[in-house]
């Protein structure tokens, strides 16, 4: 089968910086492919090249003939005068398309289709761009960080949308839950080369470790042989015969392998000198609203405990960032007050980020703050060591800021926050644009951090690993304090939803009970209905059993399995409905 996209021997550099060399991969029809790489390795550049937005040095990119491609850029740009609807459909406003646009945009919390794009925030514009890609129904969807600026509800909706049907995707995302649930193939861009893993994110983690272990063993073997060959080379400085020259050439090839370095796993960075008193902060019945409709907090009381690691989750617009800014004194509550302990020293990582001097070197950005971080017990971490811990190589540390990618800038901003030695970290969407390796390092840093932490994030994987309880902002001042991580909260919320559904049905049961007391005997019509229900239930149960046996038998064709898989949930619904009605009638007649 001809692939939708075939990339052969592709290379790209910016001056002396080589992003990737001679890489080859393909994307087949129906494949959902995730691209993983460190910040600055060229992920966004590669997607831009494939979308025809940027050139490349050498190689071939072949798309299947007449293939329709949709591209979601990391930072899309629009005409500020055009409306949301125009931005979605390139000025095609047929009625059917308008209806579909409303459905998708409503899921993405964009409700005014006639609003000019210039009035929307950057996050809202990214969501309109996402809607545009989905609504134009391309054969191949290429997406750069599709979950940025989406709240948890939107991310879960998008997961379901992309999982349905036979969609073909190539995406860059740092959201590991999203990768695991949506993608069936992982491409890793590492050390200028691309590696393919035919499985989801969990499979990739396992196989990547195997690859690294095998490579380390290969380098270790090459080093042992290299030492032996080096002795031979030193003993043979005179003119060599043909065999000797062949051995000499082989020696130089061996030397290349032996001198390779695989990035060693960082040692966990543990500080022991962070001191924070027992009084942290107390929200004393604070209220905040923006206008009569937008209630953020209402008589909210909370006493934050020492060493807490709290996550804040909720849909966009429910007040998460406003709450953080009130805590930091950047915004004042309408009523009540927040009392902060004397020993608290905040480190604040905001969504907006730090504005850097473009002509400054990376190392100078950090040393302008401090030369080292005191880890306690006589241990110090220099500015250069902190940068290296967060994967800035010694060469990158002496690069100018203007050469950094978006993700590298976010990482540098994070280092400026940590370099100030805070004892209370407040991180507002810290995971946006950070690569997965950096996220893993940050997770370990926060797990070991001996102070307090508040994290606002839509990254479910990150939250599960870092926080021990949640504040869930549910809108209009409704805040749930939940003692657990995000996955545990979702399980609890799901049980609550089921409970509400059952309670909603309770009036029907009460009405049936009243009817039973009022009339003890079934009518003739109800008796006949009950008899028919018994026959129908028996027939449906027999069909269900037959399908289950066929699916387990191993002799059923693919087409039959597909049809049966669709029929099974229909059968269950019919059985539930008829069984419920039979129970109602049996209670009346009892």
């Amino acid at each position: 089968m001809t692939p939708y996209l075939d990339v052969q021997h592709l290379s790209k550099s910016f001056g002396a910086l080589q992003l990737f060399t001679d890489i080859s991969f393909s994307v087949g029809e129906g494949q959902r492919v995730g691209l993983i790489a460190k910040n600055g390795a060229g992920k966004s550049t590669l997607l831009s090249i494939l979308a025809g937005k940027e050139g490349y040095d050498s190689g071939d990119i072949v798309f299947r003939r007449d293939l329709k491609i949709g591209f979601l850029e990391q930072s899309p740009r629009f005409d500020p005068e055009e409306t949301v609807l125009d931005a979605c459909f390139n000025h095609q406003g047929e009625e059917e398309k308008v209806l579909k646009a409303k459905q998708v945009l409503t899921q993405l919390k964009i409700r005014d289709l006639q609003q000019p794009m210039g009035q929307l925030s950057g996050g809202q514009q990214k969501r309109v761009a996402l809607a545009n890609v989905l609504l134009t129904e391309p054969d191949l969807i290429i997406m750069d960080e599709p979950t940025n600026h989406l709240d948890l509800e939107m991310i879960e909706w998008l997961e379901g949308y992309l999982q349905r049907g036979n969609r073909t995707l190539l995406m860059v995302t740092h959201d590991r839950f999203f990768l695991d649930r949506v993608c069936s193939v992982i491409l890793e861009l590492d050390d200028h080369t691309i590696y393919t893993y035919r499985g989801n994110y969990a499979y990739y983690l396992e196989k990547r470790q195997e690859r690294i272990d095998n490579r380390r063993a290969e380098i270790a073997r090459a080093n042992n042989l290299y030492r032996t060959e080096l002795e031979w080379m030193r003993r043979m400085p005179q003119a060599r015969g043909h065999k000797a020259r062949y051995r000499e050439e082989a020696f130089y090839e061996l030397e290349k392998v032996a001198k390779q370095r695989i990035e060693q796993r960082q040692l966990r960075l543990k500080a022991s000198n962070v001191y924070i008193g027992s009084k942290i902060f107390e929200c004393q019945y604070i209220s905040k609203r923006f206008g009569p409709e937008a209630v953020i907090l209402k008589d909210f009381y909370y006493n934050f405990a020492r060493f807490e690691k709290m996550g804040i989750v909720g849909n966009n617009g429910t007040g998460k960032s406003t709450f953080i800014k009130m805590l930091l004194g950047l915004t004042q509550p309408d009523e009540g007050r927040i009392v902060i302990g004397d020993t608290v020293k905040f480190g604040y990582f905001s969504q907006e980020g730090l504005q850097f001097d473009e002509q400054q070197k990376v190392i100078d950005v950090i040393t302008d703050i401090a030369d080292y971080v005191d880890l306690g017990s006589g241990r110090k971490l220099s500015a250069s060591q902190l940068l290296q811990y967060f994967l800035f190589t010694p060469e990158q540390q002496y690069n100018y800021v203007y050469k950094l990618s978006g993700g590298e800038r976010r990482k540098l901003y994070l280092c400026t926050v940590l370099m100030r030695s805070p004892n209370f970290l407040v991180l507002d969407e810290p995971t946006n644009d950070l690569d997965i390796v950096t996220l893993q390092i940050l997770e370990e840093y926060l797990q070991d951090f001996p102070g307090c932490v508040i994290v606002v994030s839509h990254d479910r994987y990150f939250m599960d690993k870092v926080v021990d309880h949640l504040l869930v902002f549910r809108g209009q001042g409704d805040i749930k304090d939940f003692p657990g991580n995000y996955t545990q909260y979702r399980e609890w919320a799901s049980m609550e939803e089921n409970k509400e559904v059952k309670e909603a049905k309770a009036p029907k049961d009460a009405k049936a009970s009243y009817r039973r007391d009022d009339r003890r005997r079934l009518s003739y019509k109800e008796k006949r209905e009950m008899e028919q229900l018994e026959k129908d239930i028996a027939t449906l149960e027999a069909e269900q059993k037959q399908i289950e046996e066929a699916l387990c038998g191993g002799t059923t064709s693919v087409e039959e399995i597909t049809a049966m898989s669709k029929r099974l949930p229909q059968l269950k619904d019919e059985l539930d409905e008829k069984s419920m009605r039979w129970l109602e009638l049996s209670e009346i007649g009892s």
Side-chain angles (χ1 to χ4, degrees), residues 100-111 127 130-131 134 149-158 161 164 315-316:
K100 193 170 181 185
K102 280 182 179 176
Q103 291 172 340
V104 171
L105 288 165
T106 298
Q107 294 288 349
L108 297 172
K109 312 290 174 65
I110 304 289
R111 294 185 171 84
R127 282 182 261 148
L130 174 59
L134 299 179
H149 307 293
L150 302 187
D151 60 34
L152 290 167
E153 196 175 274
M154 296 181 213
I155 291 170
E156 289 174 352
W157 171 81
L158 182 60
Y161 188 94
R164 291 192 296 273
N315 291 341
N316 290 346

Side-chain angles (χ1 to χ4, degrees), residues 82-93 97-98 101-102 105 112-115 117 128:
E82 71 177 341
T83 67
V84 168
L85 188 61
D86 287 342
C88 279
F89 285 118
N90 303 318
H91 307 276
Q92 297 173 19
K97 288 188 173 181
V98 172
K102 280 182 179 176
L105 288 165
D112 185 355
L113 273 63
Q114 298 307 318
Q115 188 174 8
M117 290 299 296
V128 172

